[in-house]
Amino acid sequence: MKSLKNSILLALFFYTTFSFSQDYYLNDDFNNNSKKWYVGNNTSYDLKVFNGRYYYEYKNTEKNLLIFSPKFKITTSENFEMESSIQKISGVQDYGYGMFIQEENKDRLEITITSNGYYQINQKKNGTLTTIHKWTKSVDIKKGNYAVNTLKIKKDGTTISFYVNNKFQISKTIAGVSANSAGYVINRNQKISIDYIRIKKASTNSNNNINTTNTSLNETFSSNSNKWSINNNEFVTYDIKYGKYYLDHKKEKGGYSSTINNVIDETKDFEFETKIDKISGVTNYSYGIMWGKKSDSSFRFYITSNGYYKFVRNVKGKEEKIINWKLTSFINKNNGASNIIKIKKQNNRYLFYINGNYINESDFEPFYGNHIGFILFNQQKIAVDYLKVKQSQNSNNNNNTIVAKQMSVPVSDNFSNNNNGWILNNTDNYSAKINNGQFVLDRKVKGGIFFKNEINLNTQKDFILETSFTKQTGASNLTYGVTFGRKNSANEYSFFLSNTGQYLYRKYENNTYSAMIPWTQADAIKTNLYQENVLKIVKSNQLVRFYINNVYVNEFPFEGFFGNKIGFTVYDKQKVAVNYLRVKYQTTSHNNPPVIVISEPNVEEKRGFKIVQAKRITVRGTASDSDGIYEILINGIEANVAENGNFVANVPLKYGKNELIVSATDLKQATSTKKFTIKRKSNANFDTNSEVITNNGNQNINLGFGKYYALIIGVSDYQDESIDDLQGKPLRDAEKLRQVLTQQYNFNSQNVIVLKNPKDNEINRELFKLRKKITSKDNLLLFYAGHGVFQDEIGSWLPSNAIMEYEENLFSNSSLVDHFKAIKSKHTLLISDACFSGSIFKTRAVTKAPKSIQRKFELPSKKAITSGTLKTVPNESVFFKYLIKRLENNPNKYLSARKLFDMIEDPVINNSENKPQYGTIHGIGDEGGDFIFIKK
């Protein structure tokens, strides 16, 4: 989309003062030119009032043209609506035209649209024109020449909302808006005609405003009539003086608060606003406002004077994060700065503002109590200038507000309307709208968002929950799905998909993540954009079964729900349409498939994986079904089945991995399956999978292997006291690996870098250096040992300066992948003794590598070997123990990464709870080759 910047303003205006009706500042249907709009023509423009329209043609192929209205007066305290109907007649399709309202020689707000369906919001302040909402596509704009579009700007207090054809597009918080003229803007050569312009007074009872409602608290601290705590001891000093409330936290640790009782009607909209001066103290600890407090439970919104904010609930003294620390440029930083915090309850959502700028939002949750006040941590001094609490006089059940209502089973929502009260909105971060029988959810930034409703579902009964998604935009590895049984953001269940063909069943309990069913490949998932995927969750007795596109994929023991919220979760810059939501209780006509329990072999302890040396394996178990068992097959072999459902089968095994599929079918032909893996290990004393050398007997082949580089990272000691130190073990492992590589393999010592307890910028620096050194003939080994985390579907390493409270200084998988893309090595191998999940392995499995060393080297490779755990690394790593042992005792001249993995996989599984992984780092140039270790 072409920009309006660098244009030269050509302003044509004729200011006259007019008297308008009591309700209108300006109202003109252009039946004549009594308002004296500018008319005239030359080589650049042609302006005329004719036949009830104001024609406006701009002939210049550069610059833009502004036309101003007659004068009127709107003060900052007045609300207004400006509306105009504009027809595009001719001209370019991808440049803007639109309308504006302004204070002469001061500030201006404008909305412009294009004939190909985009809109943009600009603000001129102190002489500088800034885009405050970039070009965005809208289905509400009528396209092409001769299309008519109605534009509207609506002011409600500090909320400015923009509409196209009476459809809400976006709102912005802008303080101090006044006006004394309006007008139109055209960019480049276009012709439009204007049917009417109306600027009228607006009431203050709209959806976005509560400014004229009751003020339940207006604390300016001119006195202490509200009985705030006054104190002076070794821990804190609280005092009211000079019209401010001073709070001084004198200790290095802990938090202190001061609150008063202030009753708020939670069924209505409300607003808190406070101005806090940061006087002195540390900059990386928090202070802020707390509310809904009773005893040691409350809600809290924190900021720090280095630019972060966070929203939490404190439940009986334990913090639960709702919005974790996020950095924003809207916070005025450092000591001496003042910040205005505003929190609004609107449409059962919390909206958060800092210094008049919208920054985030979250679900509204009921209060614990009625106390409101302030909190600060760790050697800081603040002064509160004021605290205002405004309460709406109207409940949310007015004609202008859509309120989510509790749905009753059975539910069948085809989104032909919004009778169930889904919250619809359009912000810079997301949009939610009902359009053409779909609930369209657009997550515009990174991170996840939950679109909620409530349901009265009796989980003591068996039920069926079914929904359908059509993914419209976004990368294939992004996550979306249905969330249910939710109490709040810390307690919920989700059934997720990604368009890489995988699904996940996830539980959050008290902010702790559990992958009940980890990311699992399913052929039933449709992976292209605009293909429909149907998810179905069936609760039967004490099991929850999962279906994708009517194909049974898995099951898990049923656990009680945390709450009654239900809805849809979308992550990270993608647009997903929900086609329907259906929830019903099971009836006798519903046919549940059999329940399968495997008793032998015991694969549950090894996460569905077992290693044996036998040619055959006995599989035993039980299948139960009210309709009776028709047959049980194990890899196509029919099992012997007793009348009580007990079954047994003797199944042959091939060498290597065998996926065993137990399939049970009832009399009505409903089928369920259980899958697990058995690895048959060779009992021969020679290696049947050794790599082949094809060089006429010369073992010292020379294929131009290039130089071997290694970056070895060990992190044991952490600055953040909340992260457990690893007692030096990763540093020991890093040094041991350096010795083995430089003494036994073809790694020159000058090309091996060891980073001990590095910070994130030191890791970045070394990877940037490798970009300059490594050529397309060279090889790179990157090893990491230390802590790792997996949050919001993003895996990260924890450098020594990681701060988990803020999720600051983490080194994410995506950052590492970006570096690998820029390093032009022929072969790259990552060995990670930490969590390395997410995008790297959330795709297809690795294909079988060629046996020939020459062939493996000829094809570029980008591979990874990981310890395969989502937990922090133990002090004594079984994974590293066998990794270094196999490298030290390797008798072969050439050893591929795949072969190395095969040598460590079995002993790691047999001696730990970890299941190591070997795979391709996708999207950075792997062509099926492999990394080759060469012994000296």
Side-chain angles (χ1 to χ4, degrees), residues 83-95:
E83 182 176 297
S84 187
S85 175
I86 306 173
Q87 182 181 46
K88 170 68 179 290
I89 297 175
S90 62
V92 294
Q93 303 292 301
D94 55 351
Y95 278 88

Side-chain angles (χ1 to χ4, degrees), residues 19 213 356 463 547 560 613 621 691 717 753 758 788 795 798 827 900 925 933:
S19 296
T213 59
F463 61 83
Y547 299 78
Q613 286 189 328
E691 288 138 338
D717 304 322
I753 304 298
L798 272 59
H827 299 283
L900 174 62
F933 291 86

Side-chain angles (χ1 to χ4, degrees), residues 540-541 543 545 547 590-596 622-632 641 643-646 664-672:
S540 299
N541 295 319
L543 277 179
R545 290 193 171 98
Y547 299 78
H590 181 78
N591 185 22
N592 284 303
V595 176
I596 304 172
T622 301
S624 57
D625 189 282
S626 59
D627 296 315
I629 300 299
Y630 173 71
E631 69 175 1
I632 297 175
V641 185
E643 289 184 5
N644 62 1
N646 291 341
T665 303
D666 68 13
L667 199 59
K668 294 181 180 178
Q669 300 304 297
T671 300
S672 60

Side-chain angles (χ1 to χ4, degrees), residues 324-361:
N324 206 355
W325 286 112
K326 294 186 182 296
L327 185 65
T328 175
S329 61
F330 294 128
I331 293 176
N332 296 320
K333 299 178 182 178
N334 300 319
N335 293 329
S338 298
N339 287 282
I340 297 173
I341 299 171
K342 182 190 290 185
I343 301 163
K344 298 170 70 173
K345 182 211 170 193
Q346 180 179 304
N347 288 345
N348 279 324
R349 299 281 289 174
Y350 278 125
L351 308 180
F352 300 100
Y353 301 82
I354 296 178
N355 297 318
N357 299 285
Y358 166 87
I359 56 165
N360 216 321
E361 62 186 80

Side-chain angles (χ1 to χ4, degrees), residues 260-318:
I260 60 172
N261 189 62
N262 185 73
V263 178
I264 298 173
D265 186 350
E266 301 174 54
T267 66
K268 301 176 181 179
D269 288 346
F270 56 79
E271 175 183 301
F272 312 140
E273 184 178 307
T274 185
K275 181 181 179 183
I276 304 177
D277 307 330
K278 173 66 185 298
I279 298 174
S280 62
V282 296
T283 61
N284 61 339
Y285 279 92
S286 55
Y287 60 93
I289 183 172
M290 64 191 307
W291 69 95
K293 181 179 184 298
K294 180 180 180 181
S295 185
D296 53 358
S297 298
S298 63
F299 295 93
R300 304 173 179 187
F301 185 81
Y302 299 126
I303 65 172
T304 69
S305 44
N306 61 349
Y308 287 84
Y309 69 90
K310 179 171 76 167
F311 175 43
V312 306
R313 73 178 75 83
N314 220 52
V315 183
K316 296 181 179 179
K318 184 177 180 180

